[in-house]
């Protein structure tokens, strides 16, 4: 009886030693290939998302600057002549880090802004209060 138990245990051990589990080289190469394809698709998508975020920051800053400029005009009897960076800041405009807003012109009845993002080298946005339109140009 003990001999039969020893034989059974011996056969189980030999089955475990021969039944090794793991991945083959081909399976590992297929996984690496799939990960590479996914990365090739995801990286450009991620970069486009970053540019879209930069554009959103610029558009948000333009909208906030317009509100601050109009608020300034209300307190200046409807005139934009004294519009400058300090007037915008005093009326609630706070620039997003990396966004640079420049007041190109300010007259009694209209003003224009040029806005750039530090990380978006090729595109500049211009807002004209007379038309209310934001245009962009690529360098």
């Amino acid at each position: 009886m003990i001999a039969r138990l020893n034989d059974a245990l011996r056969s189980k051990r030999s089955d475990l030693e021969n039944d090794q589990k793991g991945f083959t080289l081909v399976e590992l190469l297929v996984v690496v290939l799939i990960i590479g394809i996914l990365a090739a698709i995801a990286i450009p998508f991620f970069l486009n998302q970053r540019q879209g975020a930069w554009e959103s920051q610029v558009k948000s800053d333009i909208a906030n600057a317009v509100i601050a400029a109009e608020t300034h005009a209300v307190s200046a009897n409807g005139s934009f002549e004294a519009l400058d960076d300090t007037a915008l800041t005093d009326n609630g405009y706070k620039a997003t880090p990396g966004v640079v807003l420049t007041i190109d012109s300010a007259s009694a009845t209209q003003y224009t802004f040029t806005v750039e993002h530090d990380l978006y080298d090729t595109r500049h946005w211009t807002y004209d209060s007379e038309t209310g339109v934001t245009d962009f140009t690529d360098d």
Side-chain angles (χ1 to χ4, degrees):
M1 177 146 158
I2 294 179
R4 285 182 23 194
L5 285 175
N6 282 337
D7 289 340
L9 286 175
R10 218 176 284 122
S11 75
K12 287 241 185 223
R13 282 190 196 129
S14 67
D15 287 347
L16 288 176
E17 290 173 0
N18 292 334
D19 191 25
Q20 296 178 355
K21 304 225 184 233
F23 297 106
T24 65
L25 180 61
V26 172
E27 291 170 332
L28 291 174
L29 288 174
V30 167
V31 169
V32 169
L33 181 67
I34 290 171
I35 291 172
I37 290 170
L38 292 174
I41 293 170
I43 290 172
F45 181 74
F46 172 72
L47 294 177
N48 288 338
Q49 291 295 343
R50 288 178 51 199
Q51 288 179 344
W54 297 334
E55 287 185 29
S56 294
Q57 286 179 330
V58 168
K59 290 176 183 177
S60 174
D61 273 24
I62 290 172
N64 292 335
V66 168
I67 292 170
E70 298 295 331
T71 304
H72 167 74
V74 168
S75 64
N77 295 324
S79 175
F80 297 107
E81 284 181 316
L83 186 64
D84 60 4
D85 292 337
T86 305
L88 289 177
T89 304
D90 291 346
N91 287 288
Y93 173 70
K94 183 177 179 192
T96 303
V99 176
V100 178
L101 183 136
T102 306
I103 300 171
D104 295 330
S105 66
S107 67
T109 58
Q110 71 175 23
Y111 57 91
T112 58
F113 297 140
T114 299
V115 186
E116 300 173 357
H117 197 291
D118 288 347
L119 300 174
Y120 207 144
D121 299 341
T122 61
R123 189 168 279 188
H124 308 281
W125 291 262
T126 304
Y127 175 80
D128 186 355
S129 68
E130 188 172 44
T131 61
V133 175
T134 302
D135 294 319
F136 64 89
T137 57
D138 286 321
D139 290 343

